Amino acid sequence: MSIQAPERLGPYRLVRKIGEGGMGVVHLGLDGEGQEVAIKVLHPHVAADLKARDRLTREVETMRRVRSPFVAEVLDAELVGGQPYVVTRFAPGRTLEDTVLAEGPLAAREVIGLAQGLCQALVAIQAADVHALASTVFFAATGTPPFGTGTFESVCFNIMEGRAQLDKAPVWLRGWLNRALQVEPSVRPGAQELLRLARALDPSVTTFNEGPTGTKRLGDRTRTMETFSDLLPPVEYGQAAPPPAPPQPRNPTRREERPPPYVPAPMHDRPVPHSDQRVAGPPPPDRRVVPAPTSPAPARPYTPPPYTPPSERKRYLFGSQVVGLLLLVTLVALTVMMPVMAGAVAVALALVLRIGEYLFGDLVKRRQMRGSSAADPLLALLGTPWALVKSALVTAVHVPLALLFGICVWGVLYWAGQMGVNEAAAYAAGAFAAGLFVLPGGGAPRKTVTRTLTGVLRSPGAALVAVVLVGTAALFSVMFALGQDPTWAPWRAPESVINDLASDAKQSTIGLITGLIGSLLDGLGLGWLDRLNPWS
């Protein structure tokens, strides 16, 4: 299965990637109305795991029942196709990790607000992930993970031993973290209780409250009395981190002072962690690490990814539609100027676009249902003959319909508008060209044009430039069409042909029409078709 992200998933268009984890990739997408949504697409190896699909199905079924302002609700999901995805409400902004790594730990009031919001969200969704919630708040308050950094095994050992680095957390927050980071889930408070405790947090408190029964103080750390340390090999631990520096006087006009931004150590000989373990920490003792310089270089300023507001996204979608309309206006104007040649080009263009829709439109639908496949090129090749036959048959029916529409326009302009024969015929040819795309049966060519423009115009700026360029071409085409006489080459002007045919008294109405058609076919070098006409 291909890991390349498609441009569309079902009715949604993918704009850009905004995140990635162990389960899948999250994209910013647009729905059919131009509204921004977040689309989580499972990784191919995860999508192939039936247990992972079942877990995702249960998660979606649960989240559909959640109604909370603190939780991004599930809007849609496709769980049975080749590329399962979940669509949720999009909440713009930076991640907590980006904010902390760029600006340092949050201020006390911001930490309290984050803790209360997360607790309210946890109350609203099956409330069991208290440990992870507290770890998130710890990182927001300190800029470091609660159980240290290093290999996966070392971090897991610290979690099992309950070795949370509470001495790095603010004093007023340690009691709350102590209760939520207990090893035994039964000892931790529930989400509702944790929310009550979060609402009682006070930065002015300077004492470290004892944890619940079953824990004891070991310095500034807490540790469960029943552990599994006797089952694990002894580990030599490094020296404890030095105590934090005394707080500096605050400027009353600014928010609480923060420690300097986090500066990662040099990565010369250090193994690159997995993307899901960005904040997972020091390597094991036997790994060689280049020591940090005495005076660390200042952290590079954070540059947030470009964000396009919904108004510009709507303008982008609208711009693509306007470009398609302007292209049609240009084609109609050219057909008015050169009815025969441009009309023939319009028929050929409609045929080619219809072939493209019948061939590649089905391919896109298959990819949406089961994802990309190595057999797609072969299926496209095998489907080409049927696409050609189907397109030819539909075009053979649709062209007479557009021709009838043009004749009706000619009659209205000639009889009601008192136009000349040639002038009315030129506008009728333009109506014929428009009918190939706007009359019933013209949906396939329109879809191909829309899909092509959507793939080419990938930003609001590109759409705006295309509107200006194509609009200028359409304007000049319309001006030329209105300001000069049409060119009927390689055919003669309709008025002269009608006069020649009308001179023969034997010509009936049917004979007049067939004579016009025969003359046109002769001019195009297709006179042999006229011999098949029973009325010729």
Side-chain angles (χ1 to χ4, degrees), residues 261-487:
Y262 167 77
V263 181
M267 301 293 292
H268 302 297
D269 295 334
R270 188 163 163 185
V272 180
H274 190 270
S275 59
D276 291 340
Q277 303 171 355
R278 284 186 60 188
V279 294
D286 57 343
R287 298 274 185 98
R288 184 168 60 90
V289 181
V290 178
T294 305
S295 301
R300 297 169 60 183
Y302 173 79
T303 303
Y307 169 70
T308 306
S311 59
E312 292 193 12
R313 295 293 175 191
K314 291 182 180 179
R315 189 193 319 165
Y316 160 65
L317 293 177
F318 179 72
S320 300
Q321 299 171 354
V322 171
V323 171
L325 178 61
L326 292 175
L327 288 174
L328 180 60
V329 171
T330 304
L331 177 62
V332 171
L334 292 175
T335 308
V336 172
M337 288 189 291
M338 299 176 292
V340 179
M341 297 182 62
V345 170
V347 174
L349 182 61
L351 176 62
V352 172
L353 293 176
R354 186 172 280 110
I355 294 174
E357 175 60 23
Y358 292 156
L359 188 60
F360 299 104
D362 292 341
L363 179 61
V364 171
K365 293 178 182 177
R366 287 196 299 270
R367 286 183 172 177
Q368 292 175 355
M369 291 300 297
R370 56 164 177 74
S372 301
S373 173
D376 286 341
L378 178 61
L379 293 176
L381 180 62
L382 295 177
T384 301
W386 168 240
L388 293 174
V389 173
K390 183 179 179 181
S391 300
L393 293 176
V394 175
T395 303
V397 175
H398 195 247
V399 168
L401 179 63
L403 185 61
L404 180 61
F405 176 65
I407 292 175
C408 293
V409 171
W410 179 84
V412 171
L413 295 178
Y414 179 74
W415 298 106
Q418 299 298 315
M419 282 189 179
V421 174
N422 292 340
E423 186 178 7
Y427 287 109
F432 165 75
L436 294 173
F437 298 91
V438 301
L439 291 178
R446 291 199 306 270
K447 289 181 181 179
T448 304
V449 173
T450 302
R451 184 179 294 110
T452 303
L453 292 177
T454 303
V456 173
L457 307 178
R458 297 180 177 270
S459 67
L464 179 61
V465 171
V467 168
V468 173
L469 295 179
V470 180
T472 302
L475 177 61
F476 280 102
S477 299
V478 171
M479 293 175 59
F480 280 116
L482 297 176
Q484 68 179 21
D485 294 332
T487 301

Side-chain angles (χ1 to χ4, degrees), residues 186-210:
S186 59
V187 182
R188 302 172 197 156
Q192 193 68 50
E193 174 66 11
L194 198 65
L195 175 60
R196 185 188 67 79
L197 295 174
R199 289 171 174 168
L201 289 174
D202 186 358
S204 63
V205 175
T206 59
T207 59
F208 180 14
N209 296 329
E210 284 290 333

Side-chain angles (χ1 to χ4, degrees), residues 43 54 134 148 239 245 250 327 364 380 390 396 449 485 499 502 512 528:
H43 287 309
D54 292 339
Q239 296 182 354
R250 295 186 301 173
L327 288 174
V364 171
K390 183 179 179 181
V449 173
D485 294 332
N499 291 334
L512 181 62
W528 58 272

Side-chain angles (χ1 to χ4, degrees), residues 491-514:
W491 197 33
R492 292 185 297 163
E495 187 173 9
S496 62
V497 176
I498 292 175
N499 291 334
D500 293 343
L501 296 175
S503 62
D504 190 351
K506 296 181 180 180
Q507 292 292 339
S508 61
T509 303
I510 295 179
L512 181 62
I513 295 176
T514 56

